[in-house]
Amino acid sequence: MMSWLGITAYTFQIYFDFSGYSDMAIGLGLMFGFHFEENFNYPYMASSISEFWHRWHISLSTWFRDYVYIPMGRNRINHSRWLLNIFTVWLLTGICHGANWTFILWGLFYFVLLVFERETGIKPGHFITMFCVMIAWVIFRSDSITSGISYIASLFGLNGNNFCDSGFIIYIKSSWLVIFASLLGISPVMKNIFSRHKFMESLWLCLMFIISTFEVISSSYNPFIYFNL
């Protein structure tokens, strides 16, 4: 279970990291009179892989759609050519994240999932979609394909580690508030509340600012994840 806790924490971290500095860019743009579109639209609420990529890193997926997929003929061509187009888009998506085989595998993993959805018409639902997304994050985060496979095996207790241990309970007890706040943050629950009670949004933002300030002061330098790619 510690392996599941680890990938769950990373799933939260990469979303808050990337969407956070995207929001910072949007806010700074507004200060100088520029309007930038939202880059994330609650992607972890998606019920299919295609919907996930309509919600995650919207600027990147839009760029690949407009400058790679559409010029190559989108889906107005024969089936084999369409498969080549999709393969090219996701190969390039993986490569643009870094010069490592894990990123290429990460991109091609989504190629397989999206083609499966398109060919079968099956929408996997929220929980299966999130399972696939989390497995993809294991590949994305791993230093090598071998370590990624080893970690995925540990998720199912296949590499000799115990599936559940006492450490898992200890971490849950000590971090339950952070986990709860993270679950709120990836969902539109707070946004819906704020839309009806504006004063609560101001109080929430002030509270988050104070907590974040104390966290930054008490922590060492921790750059954005995407800046390390």
Side-chain angles (χ1 to χ4, degrees):
M1 292 299 288
M2 286 297 293
S3 297
W4 281 106
L5 182 60
I7 190 53
T8 300
Y10 185 74
T11 298
F12 287 144
Q13 182 189 12
I14 195 167
Y15 171 69
F16 292 125
D17 177 277
F18 199 9
S19 66
Y21 76 66
S22 294
D23 288 339
M24 290 167 61
I26 292 171
L28 289 170
L30 288 173
M31 292 172 64
F32 291 99
F34 298 98
H35 177 75
F36 301 113
E37 298 295 330
E38 289 289 342
N39 203 25
F40 293 84
N41 181 25
Y42 301 107
Y44 292 156
M45 295 295 102
S47 58
S48 68
I49 298 299
S50 56
E51 183 186 354
F52 172 79
W53 276 101
H54 279 99
R55 292 169 173 262
W56 177 275
H57 203 345
I58 298 170
S59 59
L60 177 68
S61 55
T62 300
W63 190 92
F64 272 107
R65 181 197 66 195
D66 293 344
Y67 295 101
V68 180
Y69 184 62
I70 291 178
M72 292 183 71
R74 60 174 78 183
N75 59 353
R76 299 175 179 174
I77 48 182
N78 62 62
H79 187 263
S80 59
R81 178 62 186 275
W82 173 78
L83 285 174
L84 176 61
N85 291 353
I86 294 293
F87 176 86
T88 302
V89 166
W90 287 101
L91 176 63
L92 293 175
T93 300
I95 292 173
C96 82
H97 282 83
N100 194 318
W101 284 107
T102 54
F103 295 124
I104 295 176
L105 181 60
W106 172 77
L108 296 182
F109 180 66
Y110 275 113
F111 159 73
V112 172
L113 293 176
L114 289 166
V115 169
F116 176 81
E117 278 190 5
R118 172 66 181 270
E119 294 296 290
T120 64
I122 295 174
K123 300 298 182 183
H126 177 256
F127 290 104
I128 295 179
T129 296
M130 281 307 304
F131 172 80
C132 293
V133 168
M134 292 172 72
I135 294 298
W137 285 139
V138 172
I139 301 170
F140 185 90
R141 175 63 180 83
S142 299
D143 295 326
S144 67
I145 293 177
T146 302
S147 63
I149 293 174
S150 177
Y151 195 97
I152 292 172
S154 71
L155 294 174
F156 304 97
L158 300 177
N159 60 356
N161 295 331
N162 293 328
F163 183 71
C164 185
D165 54 44
S166 59
F168 173 76
I169 305 299
I170 294 172
Y171 275 103
I172 290 295
K173 287 182 177 179
S174 62
S175 306
W176 70 268
L177 185 58
V178 174
I179 295 172
F180 178 71
S182 298
L183 289 171
L184 287 178
I186 65 173
S187 73
V189 171
M190 298 305 295
K191 181 180 180 180
N192 293 336
I193 294 175
F194 294 154
S195 65
R196 296 191 295 269
H197 307 285
K198 287 295 183 182
F199 74 95
M200 291 187 65
E201 181 176 15
S202 299
L203 291 175
W204 176 261
L205 291 175
C206 288
L207 177 62
M208 290 297 100
F209 177 75
I210 293 171
I211 293 175
S212 298
T213 300
F214 278 111
E215 184 67 23
V216 169
I217 292 173
S218 62
S219 302
S220 59
Y221 173 65
N222 187 19
F224 291 115
I225 294 175
Y226 266 69
F227 285 1
N228 292 326
L229 298 181

